[in-house]
Amino acid sequence: GRQNPELSFTMVKTVLPPRLLAAAPLLAGLASALPPPVHVPDLLSRRGEDDGLLSTSAGPPQGWWGNDQDRSPELDDVTSSTFEQVLDHFSKEDGVTFGQRYFTSDRYVSEGGTGEDAVNFLCVGGEGPSLDASVLVNSVHCTGDMVELAKLLHEEHGWDVRMYALEHRYYGESIPSPKKGEGGLRSPKEGGDGPDGGDKKGDADFAHLSSRQAVLDIVNFVTSTDPHNRWVAFGGSYPGMLSAWSHLLHPSRIYAAVSSSSPLQVTLDFGRYNDRVASDLADEDVGGSGECLAVVQGGHAQVAAALEADGKKSDPGSDSKSKSPKGGEVGLDKVAEMFDVCGGADTLRVERNRQIFAGWGLLRIPAQGNDPSCDGKVCNIEKLCGEIIHLKKTNGKDGKERSDMEVLSEVRRMQSDDEGTSGGWMARQCQNVGWDDFVSYYSTPTRWNANDRSWQYQTCNEFGFYQTCEVDSSCPYAKGYHGIDMDLELCQRLFGIDPDEVRRRVDGTLTYYGGGGPLPSGGPP
């Protein structure tokens, strides 16, 4: 296929013993980089009518992508269990634990147990979909490298490979107790996290959610489960960071690590992510073209011009709705209508709303997943750019050539139609670009946003990785409409972490794991 081979910016060298390197070509299939960038209208359209509070007794909370749905017969050999994990590895004397879910399969273990050539493969969980049994069969987590490598080693080299998958703390069903004082999720009645706040710090909800705790979760799990045979950790994106760090800091416990598309160089402002999205739109190897990129950039520039023109025509205190566009201009009412903006032009007259609308992308660009086998009309770069070029080269219903903005409007509606065909969340709904609604989505724990909230907290507490669209960038969206200030405001409003503290914590993470270069084995300073 013509799948985008990488949307990664820092790769860790694969650390494998020589006999495992015989299957190294299988390891190139996973390139997830980070969670796909948030497209706010899609996110908010998932809320639906069920905004019930998160309960650990309820079904598994759904993550940003939802659960894996493959129900292969091979799932029969996958078992689900719970490991009593230490809640705080840096203060073990309190004795508090929580149930951490894991999966295991002996599919590639010979009858009668493991032989001399035996190894344990561990799929490291992270911020993606909540794990289920398909994680060890066919899923976005570790199928493309770990499961296929286990099969090859067993069938062609006679190795016994026992496979495991460990869910990340505070994701899926591995959520610490919500009881007050035990470092789990706090009930909103005990103090809220949203813009109205409470008298408690917002990040108390996630008192023990960090990559440092997660690395020690891995070490404790493997040591307790099988201290005799070797362990190889696998992961892509953030789980790849964890797999690399677990080997780097604890080589006596994690014999080797496969870390795919892992942005180990933690950074607050990750603007180059969108620079890469722009280059993908122009990349002929994945179905893009320079013409496609030009239309996407031109459409966003035209929308930005309409937003700016509307602002200039509205004097302070005047009724901006009374102002009519001059000849040749596209008014804000027309822009709102073209893109089905909830609340119409008035919504776009609020600064943060217009920034979300234009600076975070008028449409979804599937640069990261870019599935060459997807079924939708505009579901990968090749199909997306194909439709963009086709629409640009043909006249609209009025017989006139479409503007770049009109092309993007029609493509956006195609994406909605794709969602409607597949039963997706955003089908046939107006686009909600409300900043306050976006903040509200993350403010209260529900079964819909549990994984999203956890990852949002980790970005504020440890990583940053904010995918901005600045004026001096190559970002294909409206340049200057997504600054780092928006993401830092979220951290302040949701978790009470002020901008300077976010910067300090991100710098601290980079230093803890080795800064600009890898640490020598044995641990952080």
Side-chain angles (χ1 to χ4, degrees), residues 138-264:
N138 183 18
S139 73
V140 299
H141 298 276
C142 291
T143 302
D145 50 5
M146 189 185 90
V147 176
E148 291 302 314
L149 180 56
K151 179 179 179 181
L152 185 149
L153 288 173
H154 181 69
E155 295 181 352
E156 298 188 17
H157 298 273
W159 283 42
D160 285 330
V161 184
R162 180 167 283 122
M163 299 186 297
Y164 295 86
L166 182 66
E167 192 165 62
H168 196 294
R169 57 171 58 207
Y170 289 84
Y171 291 90
E173 292 186 350
S174 300
I175 298 178
S177 168
K179 293 181 180 179
K180 186 177 180 181
E182 292 189 0
L185 289 175
R186 187 178 68 243
S187 165
K189 294 181 180 178
E190 295 173 307
D193 292 335
D196 295 330
D199 58 0
K200 297 181 176 66
K201 286 187 66 177
D203 60 347
D205 270 1
F206 302 101
H208 301 295
L209 171 57
S210 71
S211 62
R212 303 178 197 190
Q213 296 280 4
V215 166
L216 292 175
D217 284 347
I218 294 169
V219 173
N220 188 38
F221 175 78
V222 304
T223 302
S224 302
T225 302
D226 182 356
H228 305 295
N229 290 306
R230 291 173 173 175
W231 288 82
V232 180
F234 290 77
S237 183
Y238 169 51
M241 296 159 67
L242 294 176
S243 66
W245 289 334
S246 65
H247 169 75
L248 179 70
L249 304 183
H250 306 278
S252 65
R253 301 300 185 188
I254 303 299
Y255 179 66
V258 179
S259 179
S260 304
S261 296
S262 305
L264 293 168

Side-chain angles (χ1 to χ4, degrees), residues 22-284:
L26 291 174
L27 305 180
L30 185 63
S32 51
L34 284 173
V38 173
H39 193 257
V40 176
D42 299 353
L43 185 74
L44 297 181
S45 68
R46 298 195 298 113
R47 300 182 69 174
E49 298 179 357
D50 182 5
D51 272 337
L53 294 180
L54 172 66
S55 168
T56 54
S57 63
Q62 305 297 301
W64 175 214
W65 299 275
N67 276 338
D68 302 272
Q69 298 298 320
D70 188 330
R71 304 310 301 173
S72 164
E74 290 182 284
L75 291 174
D76 292 342
D77 69 30
V78 180
T79 60
S80 174
S81 306
T82 301
F83 177 73
E84 283 301 309
Q85 184 63 264
V86 175
L87 179 61
D88 185 359
H89 294 284
F90 300 98
S91 181
K92 294 184 179 180
E93 64 272 10
D94 60 16
V96 178
T97 62
F98 71 98
Q100 187 170 24
R101 187 169 58 161
Y102 70 96
F103 298 86
T104 186
S105 172
D106 287 347
R107 188 181 315 132
Y108 302 119
V109 175
S110 302
E111 186 175 352
T114 56
E116 181 179 347
D117 287 330
V119 66
N120 296 308
F121 279 6
L122 176 65
C123 176
V124 176
E127 82 291 3
S130 302
L131 301 190
D132 63 18
S134 70
V135 66
L136 297 180
V137 179
N138 183 18
S139 73
V140 299
H141 298 276
C142 291
T143 302
D145 50 5
M146 189 185 90
V147 176
E148 291 302 314
L149 180 56
K151 179 179 179 181
L152 185 149
L153 288 173
H154 181 69
E155 295 181 352
E156 298 188 17
H157 298 273
W159 283 42
D160 285 330
V161 184
R162 180 167 283 122
M163 299 186 297
Y164 295 86
L166 182 66
E167 192 165 62
H168 196 294
R169 57 171 58 207
Y170 289 84
Y171 291 90
E173 292 186 350
S174 300
I175 298 178
S177 168
K179 293 181 180 179
K180 186 177 180 181
E182 292 189 0
L185 289 175
R186 187 178 68 243
S187 165
K189 294 181 180 178
E190 295 173 307
D193 292 335
D196 295 330
D199 58 0
K200 297 181 176 66
K201 286 187 66 177
D203 60 347
D205 270 1
F206 302 101
H208 301 295
L209 171 57
S210 71
S211 62
R212 303 178 197 190
Q213 296 280 4
V215 166
L216 292 175
D217 284 347
I218 294 169
V219 173
N220 188 38
F221 175 78
V222 304
T223 302
S224 302
T225 302
D226 182 356
H228 305 295
N229 290 306
R230 291 173 173 175
W231 288 82
V232 180
F234 290 77
S237 183
Y238 169 51
M241 296 159 67
L242 294 176
S243 66
W245 289 334
S246 65
H247 169 75
L248 179 70
L249 304 183
H250 306 278
S252 65
R253 301 300 185 188
I254 303 299
Y255 179 66
V258 179
S259 179
S260 304
S261 296
S262 305
L264 293 168
Q265 298 301 305
V266 174
T267 181
L268 181 70
D269 190 333
F270 205 30
R272 63 186 186 275
Y273 182 102
N274 282 325
D275 293 344
R276 183 57 187 262
V277 172
S279 68
D280 284 345
L281 285 170
D283 189 346
E284 294 182 2

Side-chain angles (χ1 to χ4, degrees), residues 350-360 481-482 485-486:
V350 177
E351 182 180 9
R352 282 297 193 220
N353 297 350
R354 61 206 286 148
Q355 289 172 331
I356 284 181
F357 176 62
W360 295 38
Y481 276 73
H482 183 179
D485 60 300
M486 299 183 74

